C-alpha cells in the first residue's frame, strides 16, 4: 500500500481491534529502514502478524506517540506514555513504551482493562492449585511469590487474589505497582516514581508505616527490595 493510500488512523484502529479480539496482551512494532514488523503476544508467545512498508510503519509509530502524548520527533531516547480508552477506540487502556535499537525504533503497547478483574475461579487453575493458593492468601503473614515469563498471567493472578481478599477479609491492603493496571475498590494502590527516586524498595519502606496487613510489591528487581519484602513477611505482614 502506497503512502497516498495508507490511512494511518484507520490502520491503527483496526490493529487495536484485532489485538483485543485475539486476546493479545501486547503489540510489538519494530521499525527499520526497510520495513516494519508487527507482532502480538498471545498466551505468552510472540506471534508475527504482518510486515508494513517502512514509511507506513513510521506513520503508525507517529500516530501512537501522538495519542500517548509523547514527542513524535524523538527517536533516540526511550519514552513511556499511556493511551486511554477514549483515544484508543477499544475497551482497553494502553501503556506505550518506545526504545531506540540498532535497526530502528521499537514500540511495545501493553493492553489492559481497568474494568475486568477475574476471580480466582476464573483463572483456570486446577482444583488442587486453587486450594493451595486460596489457603496461602488468607494467611496473616508470610510471603507469596508469583513468577513466570512475560504474558504468563502473573498480573491477572495477582489481581484475582486481591479481589478475593478485598471482598472477603476487610484487611488493609496496599499495593506498589509499575504502573497500576486495574483499579480495585477497597485497596490502597500506589505507583512507583523513578524520577522522584521512589522505586519499589523506597515505596515499601514508607508504606509499611501505613499499617498494611497485606503488601503487594509489583516486582522484586534488586537485593534491597527483596530484603524489605522478606523483613515485612517476617514481621507480621503478608
Amino acid at each position: 500500500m502506497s503512502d497516498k493510500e495508507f490511512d494511518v488512523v484507520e490502520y491503527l484502529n483496526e490493529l487495536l481491534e484485532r489485538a483485543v479480539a485475539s486476546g493479545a496482551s501486547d503489540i510489538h512494532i519494530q521499525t527499520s529502514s526497510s520495513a516494519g514488523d508487527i507482532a502480538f503476544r498471545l498466551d505468552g508467545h510472540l506471534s508475527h502478524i504482518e510486515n508494513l512498508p517502512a514509511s507506513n510503519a513510521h506513520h503508525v509509530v507517529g500516530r501512537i506517540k501522538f495519542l500517548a502524548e509523547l514527542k513524535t520527533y524523538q527517536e533516540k531516547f526511550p519514552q513511556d506514555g499511556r493511551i486511554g480508552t477514549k483515544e484508543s477506540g477499544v475497551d482497553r487502556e494502553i501503556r506505550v513504551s518506545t526504545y531506540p535499537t540498532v535497526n530502528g525504533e521499537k514500540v511495545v503497547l501493553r493492553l489492559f482493562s481497568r474494568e475486568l478483574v477475574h476471580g480466582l475461579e476464573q483463572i483456570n487453575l486446577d482444583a488442587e492449585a486453587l486450594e493451595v493458593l486460596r489457603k496461602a492468601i488468607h494467611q496473616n503473614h508470610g510471603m507469596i511469590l508469583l513468577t513466570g515469563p512475560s504474558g504468563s498471567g502473573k498480573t491477572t493472578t495477582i489481581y484475582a487474589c486481591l479481589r478475593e481478599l478485598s471482598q472477603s477479609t476487610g484487611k488493609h491492603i496496599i499495593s506498589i505497582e509499575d504502573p497500576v493496571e486495574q483499579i480495585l475498590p477497597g485497596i490502597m494502590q500506589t505507583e512507583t516514581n523513578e524520577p522522584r527516586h521512589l522505586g519499589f524498595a523506597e515505596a515499601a519502606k514508607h508504606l509499611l508505616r501505613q499499617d498494611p496487613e497485606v503488601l503487594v510489591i509489583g516486582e522484586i528487581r534488586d537485593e534491597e527490595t527483596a530484603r524489605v519484602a522478606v523483613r515485612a513477611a517476617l514481621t507480621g505482614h503478608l
Side-chain angles (χ1 to χ4, degrees), residues 113-154:
S113 171
R114 290 186 180 272
E115 305 300 327
L116 180 61
V117 179
H118 295 291
L120 283 176
E121 294 82 3
Q122 297 172 289
I123 59 175
N124 298 322
L125 293 176
D126 62 47
E128 183 179 359
L130 178 60
E131 182 181 355
V132 170
L133 180 58
R134 178 167 275 141
K135 182 178 179 180
I137 67 173
H138 285 283
Q139 297 298 309
N140 290 324
H141 60 86
M143 178 182 287
I144 301 168
L145 293 175
L146 290 167
T147 68
S150 180
S152 62
K154 297 185 297 297

Side-chain angles (χ1 to χ4, degrees), residues 30-37 52-58 75 101-105:
Q30 174 68 65
T31 66
S32 70
S33 59
S34 59
D37 180 79
L52 285 178
S55 58
N56 292 351
H58 284 291
E75 298 180 1
T101 76
V102 293
N103 297 317
E105 197 167 21

